[in-house]
Amino acid sequence: MTDLIRKEKLTAIAVIPMKHRGEIIGSLNFASHTTDRIPQNVCNFLESVALQVVNYISPLRIAADLG
C-alpha cells in the first residue's frame, strides 16, 4: 500500500470502517493529492455517508443471511 501511496502522490488518506452488528463489512476510502490533512468537517461528512451506506446495505445483508 505504501508504494501505491507514493506512486499516486497522495498526501492525505482517510479510511472509515463500515460496521454492522460489530463486524466490519466494508470501508469508505478517501484520499487527496492537494491537502496534507483532511479537515474535521470532511471527516464528519464521510462518517455520515458511511453510516448511510451501512443503513442501506444491512437489510440486504440480513436478507442474504436468511435466504
Side-chain angles (χ1 to χ4, degrees), residues 1-14 30-36:
M1 187 73 146
T2 304
D3 291 336
L4 179 62
I5 292 168
R6 284 191 193 119
K7 179 182 173 189
E8 293 296 325
K9 298 178 182 170
L10 300 174
T11 56
I13 299 172
F30 181 83
S32 176
H33 295 278
T34 59
T35 185
D36 291 342

Side-chain angles (χ1 to χ4, degrees), residues 4-6 13-14 18 22-24 28 34 38 40 45 48-51 55-57:
L4 179 62
I5 292 168
R6 284 191 193 119
I13 299 172
M18 296 187 300
E23 181 183 350
I24 295 175
L28 178 65
T34 59
I38 299 169
Q40 187 61 47
F45 172 76
S48 176
V49 170
L51 181 58
N55 287 335
Y56 178 78
I57 291 174

Side-chain angles (χ1 to χ4, degrees), residues 42-65:
V42 174
C43 289
N44 293 342
F45 172 76
L46 294 172
E47 289 173 1
S48 176
V49 170
L51 181 58
Q52 290 179 31
V53 171
V54 168
N55 287 335
Y56 178 78
I57 291 174
S58 58
L60 301 173
R61 188 164 190 251
I62 291 167
D65 289 346

